[in-house]
Amino acid sequence: MAKKRKLPLVYQPVGFALGWASGALAGLAFRKAWKAIRHEDDAPDALDRDRGWGEVLLAAAVQGAIFAAARSAADRTGAKAIERSTGVWPAK
């Protein structure tokens, strides 16, 4: 059985930076997607009194999917970069 090496400490700041950047990019992507879907600049949130359940839930689902995809892409990119530079895959 192969000996498991410890997660490189360098991954923590890399992961934080990539997570922050992916969140910012996901926010931009969501705004553009919402404008393309509904032709509106502002997406509804749960407390918008004038919006229906369908609009609120659609906005939440689209936003969640975009954020999850962006976060996964950032995490995977960071892990691959750490593996290339250290030879260790950063697993929890």
Side-chain angles (χ1 to χ4, degrees):
M1 182 178 282
K3 183 179 177 184
K4 186 174 181 178
R5 297 197 294 186
K6 191 174 178 182
L7 172 68
L9 289 177
V10 72
Y11 182 70
Q12 291 175 350
V14 169
F16 176 79
L18 287 173
W20 181 84
S22 71
L25 290 174
L28 290 171
F30 172 66
R31 286 190 289 282
K32 287 183 183 270
W34 188 255
K35 189 165 182 129
I37 292 168
R38 298 289 295 188
H39 308 290
E40 300 172 348
D41 288 329
D42 296 323
D45 68 14
L47 298 179
D48 282 343
R49 180 184 292 248
D50 299 328
R51 304 290 187 115
W53 279 92
E55 283 182 291
V56 170
L57 295 179
L58 175 64
V62 170
Q63 186 177 32
I66 290 172
F67 273 82
R71 179 61 192 249
S72 293
D75 286 346
R76 187 68 177 194
T77 299
K80 294 293 278 183
I82 294 300
E83 182 184 40
R84 279 192 300 274
S85 64
T86 67
V88 177
W89 183 261
K92 291 182 179 180

